Amino acid sequence: MLRVFIGLVLASLAAAAPAAIQERAPAPAAQGSREPTIAPAAAWVEPAAPSTPDPALADRPAQVLLADSQSLYGPDHSEHYANFAFLIQNAQGLQGLGNIILPWQPESSALIIHKVRIIRNGTIIDLLAGGQRFTVLRRENNLESAMLDGVLTAVMQPDGLAVGDILDVAWSLRRHGSTLPLRSENFFFLNGAQPVGRVSIRQIWPESVPIRWRGTGVFEHPQVRSTSRGTELSVELNAPQVAPPPAQVPARLQMPATLQLTQFRDWNEIGALLAPHYERAQQLAPDSPLRAEIERIAAASQDPRARTLAALRLVQDQVRYFALVMGDGNYLPATAEQSWTRRYADCKGKTVLLVALLRGLGIAAEPVLVNSQAGDSLGERMPSMLMFNHMIVRARIDGRSYWLDGTRSGDRILDDLASSTLGWGLPIRPGGATLEAMAYAPPTLPLLETAITYDGSAGLGGAVPMRMEQIFRGDGAVQLRLAIAQVGREAYLRQFRESITGLPNGITVSAVDFRDDPDAGSITFLYTGQATLPWNPVPGTAPAGGPRRFRFNNEVEMQIEVDRPEGPYRDAPIALPVPVYVASSETVILPAGGRGFSIDGGDFERVIAGSRFTRRAVVADGRATVRSEVRRIEREISPAAARASAAEIRLLQNDWAYLRVPASALRPAGRRP
């Protein structure tokens, strides 16, 4: 399908999609029209010609012959023109491009369609001139993501389109104003995933709209000149070569070629622009029902930490997520009282609600803009509203910042919220604020903790009783809770029992249950059954009658891709998945109080490749226990560090702990020594 974001080349049609440039339209604009206009391109547009097909790409479903984006910014409106041309090379390409889909928000823009043409062997077939028209649908494609955006979609199935044709489509979006005086901005990128025959970008702004720009990679040196309309920036690239980034690079390196334009002078200007609206939205009337909630939380505890968690839990659990992003809803929140009355809100509404509760409890709090997918890259960008897609709350307690997200669920450990994986945030503060780095730290408790106990008190030579606990915390517990709620407790347990495979040490499970502790934010699965521990001869001793040992299942699992080819990314940092904190322990209850038993393999604590590995082994009080942990403490490491640590990781993976015992002590269960 041909969409505005076509998914193939330039995010910009960033200019053509999010309502990021909302300005007043001049009188002729089809402001608020719920039907697209069919009209020629504006006089300021300069047509660009498609490239010739590349024979080396003949095996692709389609070739992108042209990606053309042109914008004209003004003090009272902006216009954004796009032209794409595709060569359809096989049935897959025909299926993919057989639907032309152009969405727009009529509350903030008008859609003008200029051409839909099929070029076949040099002959032009003009579908619009032939009478074919678009059908307008209101489809709300984002409802599954709990979002109502008011987007209309113009759809056409181009008649007669066939393999070998070139599909040539051009349209414009004319943006008009809103109550929020935003600035002009735009963002383009190429990541090398899809070859493009010709990339053409042209951006024009008058002196009254002071725009700055920055380019990287193939966009680093655009042509800039003065014209009768003002400043014109242009980029013309024929078959640009952009090396696609490898796996495991940080978000800031995943777009190797970018072109950013912005009218914002600095980050402070964004915060100052939004702050008055957010300050008003969190104000509570004297008789607001939220005041009763504040009093209830305050009465339950004097501890600001406990109060903060109680307010966060109220917003996470009692107000469902749903976004109304029509018009100014992209930027401005519902009031705290509206969100509480409706019992639904988006990230902005939940943020305002949480700020109102926290300030009512005497806790300093403010909204913070973030990017939930590419936050790591914000520190390298120019100030822009386009860079943000989410909002959270920063609470301050005893000089420490805590990052609270009302759209999440299950957050129960405040110290974990002093850490963030989002990279950078922009506080929304009267007078403005600059970007702030958000530090990452590992979780306080393991996100997955497994403990297995083998009861060999009556003998270890045969099957012994086994009990296992698995504790899920954080997002894992949240996802489990949702899965259980969908089918019910008994049905979930039945399905879970049927799926159990691959347990170590001959474990057979006879019963499974779980307990949910929403106050702790954890779910614990309980397994009971039997196990037959493998006892093998100790290397270097007599195979018959000599000592035996059991290997604890404390394997270190860690894979890092370090074999990168020569090129621009060979020495790029390696991004590590976070958060990671896994713990496992095995305990053997020993016969005869543990006399004669010992452990081969010592304790260790090592930091390797951004992770802390620990093992503790002990025989005491008739029990032998080995506990291992892997805790990710860094978000990224250098390839050199990864390569240097590879041998150490292999050594660690082969460093097993064993329970050693004389063969005479291995009597079947039930036969006492």
Side-chain angles (χ1 to χ4, degrees), residues 346-356 366-368 391-393:
D346 60 9
C347 64
K348 301 181 296 296
K350 283 188 170 236
T351 289
V352 164
L353 174 58
L354 184 53
V355 167
E366 62 186 355
V368 178
M391 179 172 280
I392 61 174
V393 173

Side-chain angles (χ1 to χ4, degrees), residues 118-473:
I118 295 172
I119 304 174
R120 181 177 298 156
N121 298 324
T123 300
I124 295 176
I125 304 170
D126 190 331
L127 297 185
L128 297 179
Q132 188 169 359
R133 290 294 182 262
F134 282 80
T135 300
V136 176
L137 306 175
R138 169 126 185 215
R139 303 200 302 167
E140 292 300 348
N141 293 320
N142 293 315
L143 274 179
E144 288 186 0
S145 302
M147 180 182 295
L148 190 67
D149 54 22
V151 167
L152 298 181
T153 305
V155 180
M156 176 191 286
Q157 292 76 39
D159 291 348
L161 187 66
V163 173
D165 289 344
I166 294 174
L167 179 62
D168 184 17
V169 182
W171 68 95
S172 292
L173 285 179
R174 178 171 293 167
R175 303 242 176 240
H176 53 75
S178 71
T179 58
L180 189 64
L182 294 175
R183 309 294 187 258
S184 297
E185 51 184 332
N186 214 333
F187 186 75
F188 305 82
F189 73 86
L190 286 169
N191 61 13
Q194 171 67 43
V196 185
R198 182 179 184 188
V199 174
S200 179
I201 298 174
R202 185 166 168 260
Q203 306 285 289
I204 306 169
W205 60 92
E207 186 176 344
S208 59
V209 183
I211 287 179
R212 297 180 297 131
W213 59 271
R214 178 185 298 165
T216 66
V218 295
F219 294 134
E220 187 173 4
H221 301 294
Q223 299 296 312
V224 181
R225 64 191 183 100
S226 296
T227 71
S228 59
R229 289 190 174 90
T231 300
E232 178 177 317
L233 178 149
S234 62
V235 175
E236 296 292 334
L237 301 173
N238 292 312
Q241 299 299 306
V242 177
Q248 288 188 287
V249 297
R252 66 183 180 275
L253 301 178
Q254 290 174 9
M255 291 185 286
T258 64
L259 177 62
Q260 184 181 358
L261 299 96
T262 182
Q263 191 184 349
F264 285 105
R265 296 185 301 272
D266 51 35
W267 295 105
N268 289 279
E269 189 177 9
I270 295 175
L273 177 68
L274 295 177
H277 302 277
Y278 283 81
E279 289 294 314
R280 284 194 297 271
Q282 60 90 21
Q283 297 297 324
L284 302 182
D287 59 347
S288 170
L290 283 169
R291 295 194 180 277
E293 298 298 327
I294 293 171
E295 292 172 2
R296 178 183 60 78
I297 294 172
S301 176
Q302 296 293 318
D303 182 0
R305 294 167 57 88
R307 289 181 172 187
T308 298
L309 279 175
L312 177 61
R313 186 169 180 180
L314 182 70
V315 174
Q316 288 184 345
D317 295 354
Q318 299 300 318
V319 179
R320 75 183 188 277
Y321 179 86
F322 191 80
L324 292 171
V325 295
M326 296 174 286
D328 288 338
N330 259 2
Y331 303 103
L332 302 183
T335 67
E337 291 174 343
Q338 285 173 329
S339 295
W340 182 246
T341 300
R342 294 168 173 170
R343 289 298 201 275
Y344 69 78
D346 60 9
C347 64
K348 301 181 296 296
K350 283 188 170 236
T351 289
V352 164
L353 174 58
L354 184 53
V355 167
L357 291 169
L358 292 172
R359 290 182 179 179
L361 291 163
I363 298 164
E366 62 186 355
V368 178
L369 283 167
V370 296
N371 188 304
S372 60
Q373 279 126 9
D376 169 66
S377 67
L378 292 184
E380 301 185 0
R381 304 290 180 224
M382 300 172 72
S384 168
M385 197 84 79
L386 283 174
M387 296 297 106
F388 302 107
N389 66 358
H390 191 43
M391 179 172 280
I392 61 174
V393 173
R394 190 243 295 276
R396 291 185 185 271
I397 303 173
D398 296 331
R400 192 180 189 191
S401 292
Y402 298 90
W403 310 102
L404 316 178
D405 188 342
T407 68
R408 287 174 47 82
S409 62
D411 291 327
R412 299 292 184 267
I413 302 174
L414 189 63
D415 284 340
D416 286 350
L417 303 181
S419 165
S420 175
T421 61
L422 296 172
W424 296 87
L426 179 65
I428 302 304
R429 190 181 299 161
T434 191
L435 278 180
E436 294 189 23
M438 305 166 72
Y440 166 76
T444 305
L445 296 175
L447 301 177
L448 174 60
E449 188 168 4
T450 303
I452 306 176
T453 300
Y454 308 104
D455 187 355
S457 58
L460 286 166
V464 299
M466 180 279 311
R467 176 183 174 85
M468 178 167 64
E469 291 191 359
Q470 278 188 312
I471 305 174
F472 294 85
R473 300 184 178 93

Side-chain angles (χ1 to χ4, degrees), residues 67-120:
D68 179 19
S69 181
Q70 304 183 44
S71 299
L72 176 63
Y73 305 94
D76 54 3
H77 79 287
S78 60
E79 296 185 36
H80 305 278
Y81 167 88
N83 183 189
F84 280 83
F86 302 88
L87 170 62
I88 300 170
Q89 301 188 133
N90 58 31
Q92 184 181 354
L94 181 62
Q95 183 67 34
L97 292 164
N99 289 319
I100 302 173
I101 299 176
L102 304 177
W104 84 103
Q105 283 184 308
E107 291 191 3
S108 61
S109 60
L111 172 63
I112 305 103
I113 300 171
H114 308 306
K115 63 179 176 179
V116 179
R117 306 190 309 174
I118 295 172
I119 304 174
R120 181 177 298 156

Side-chain angles (χ1 to χ4, degrees), residues 53-68:
D54 184 349
L57 302 176
D59 60 339
R60 304 290 183 97
Q63 288 192 45
V64 185
L65 303 182
L66 175 65
D68 179 19

